[in-house]
Amino acid sequence: MHIVKGIVIAFSIYSKIPVPQFPWEEEDMKYMLCFFPWIGAVIGGCVYLWNLVCFHISAEDLFRVFITAAIPLVITGGFHVDGFMDTMDALHSYQPRERKLEILKDSHIGAFAVIMLAACGLIYLGAFSQITDRKTVGIVCAGFFLARCLSGIGVVCFPSAKKEGMLHGFADRAQKKKVKWALGFQGLLCAGTMAAMDICMAGAVVLTALAVFWRYYRKCMKELRGITGDTAGWFVVICEVSMTVAAAAISLINS
């Protein structure tokens, strides 16, 4: 029963998909992060089906790509984008660590959040417009799952920048060792699925994701001496965009 509740809690927190509501108990939280990547599986499945429909009806690329970009936002409610924007404001403030942590908690958005979101969105749209075959779309869609596997591993392995907040609470309650191995196993399965589609492209996409993950750790440790819920969202967004750019680059090389 705790496993089922963990699945429901994961979808309740990280998506807008309707799920049953019930009081959360500490036991229910232990394995919740194991199911975080499953939201990515739903997103990837929806994006893949949408692109198949567009290929079948010969839809215009602009129509296909813009709705593709909207699907993750609709499913997650912009949960990770909110963290991305807060993190961009904090990192571009060039203030001391304590002030950056205050900015992360601030509900207002600044100029850098808007500028960087616009830049990130344009890069994503441009990259996805170059992805015009089912195989490459499939690999990119698997990336939604992989990004969340890595993000979850970061939550249980990296130090928290604050001794409070949602991320610290999840990390504190999680069965860290079991969650880490569960997420690692799921990530390997995801990478294997990508490789079955195209080993060269899969290698580029997975290596890109790992490079972004390493950069995420280094940046957060340098700037904040740990991660927060907002930086975890920032990582998910940057990782998804970077993997899409890598897939688009390999697709162009192969064409």
Side-chain angles (χ1 to χ4, degrees):
M1 182 57 71
H2 291 308
I3 299 297
V4 174
K5 287 184 177 180
I7 297 171
V8 173
I9 292 172
F11 276 83
S12 177
I13 294 171
Y14 296 112
S15 81
K16 290 296 182 180
I17 299 171
V19 293
Q21 300 298 312
F22 54 84
W24 297 354
E25 299 176 4
E26 188 165 339
E27 286 293 317
D28 303 328
M29 308 293 288
K30 289 183 177 180
Y31 304 105
M32 181 273 296
L33 283 170
C34 295
F35 309 105
F36 177 36
W38 295 13
I39 291 97
V42 173
I43 295 170
C46 291
V47 168
Y48 187 73
L49 288 174
W50 167 249
N51 277 266
L52 286 187
V53 170
C54 289
F55 293 151
H56 181 71
I57 64 175
S58 301
E60 293 291 334
D61 272 348
L62 196 64
F63 177 65
R64 176 178 68 90
V65 171
F66 271 67
I67 294 183
T68 290
I71 289 172
L73 295 176
V74 171
I75 293 175
T76 65
F79 186 88
H80 305 298
V81 173
D82 177 69
F84 170 87
M85 296 181 76
D86 288 341
T87 302
M88 286 293 95
D89 273 338
L91 295 181
H92 286 88
S93 69
Y94 301 103
Q95 297 294 317
R97 172 181 178 270
E98 291 72 20
R99 177 57 183 150
K100 288 175 181 173
L101 291 174
E102 290 177 6
I103 293 172
L104 286 172
K105 293 192 296 184
D106 193 342
S107 59
H108 298 87
I109 62 171
F112 279 111
V114 177
I115 292 168
M116 296 308 296
L117 181 63
C120 192
L122 290 171
I123 291 169
Y124 183 76
L125 292 170
F128 212 101
S129 70
Q130 292 296 325
I131 297 172
T132 56
D133 63 279
R134 298 183 182 185
K135 177 183 65 179
T136 309
V137 169
I139 290 174
V140 170
C141 288
F144 291 108
F145 189 93
L146 181 61
R148 285 161 177 78
C149 288
L150 293 174
S151 181
I153 290 171
V155 170
V156 295
C157 292
F158 299 164
S160 297
K162 301 182 293 181
K163 300 303 180 184
E164 58 182 4
M166 182 182 292
L167 179 136
H168 175 72
F170 291 161
D172 190 52
R173 293 180 178 88
Q175 289 280 356
K176 293 186 178 182
K177 187 174 181 179
K178 292 180 180 178
V179 169
K180 177 177 65 177
W181 284 107
L183 289 170
F185 179 69
Q186 291 180 80
L188 286 174
L189 285 179
C190 182
T193 301
M194 290 179 174
M197 298 184 223
D198 187 314
I199 192 166
C200 179
M201 185 174 292
V205 169
V206 172
L207 286 175
T208 297
L210 292 175
V212 173
F213 189 56
W214 177 82
R215 177 60 178 165
Y216 163 54
Y217 171 76
R218 297 277 294 179
K219 186 72 172 176
C220 288
M221 292 304 297
K222 179 182 177 181
E223 301 281 349
L224 304 170
R225 297 202 294 274
I227 65 171
T228 71
D230 286 321
T231 63
W234 169 64
F235 165 74
V236 169
V237 172
I238 294 295
C239 190
E240 289 174 352
V241 172
S242 299
M243 287 188 289
T244 303
V245 170
I250 298 299
S251 182
L252 282 170
I253 292 170
N254 291 338
S255 62

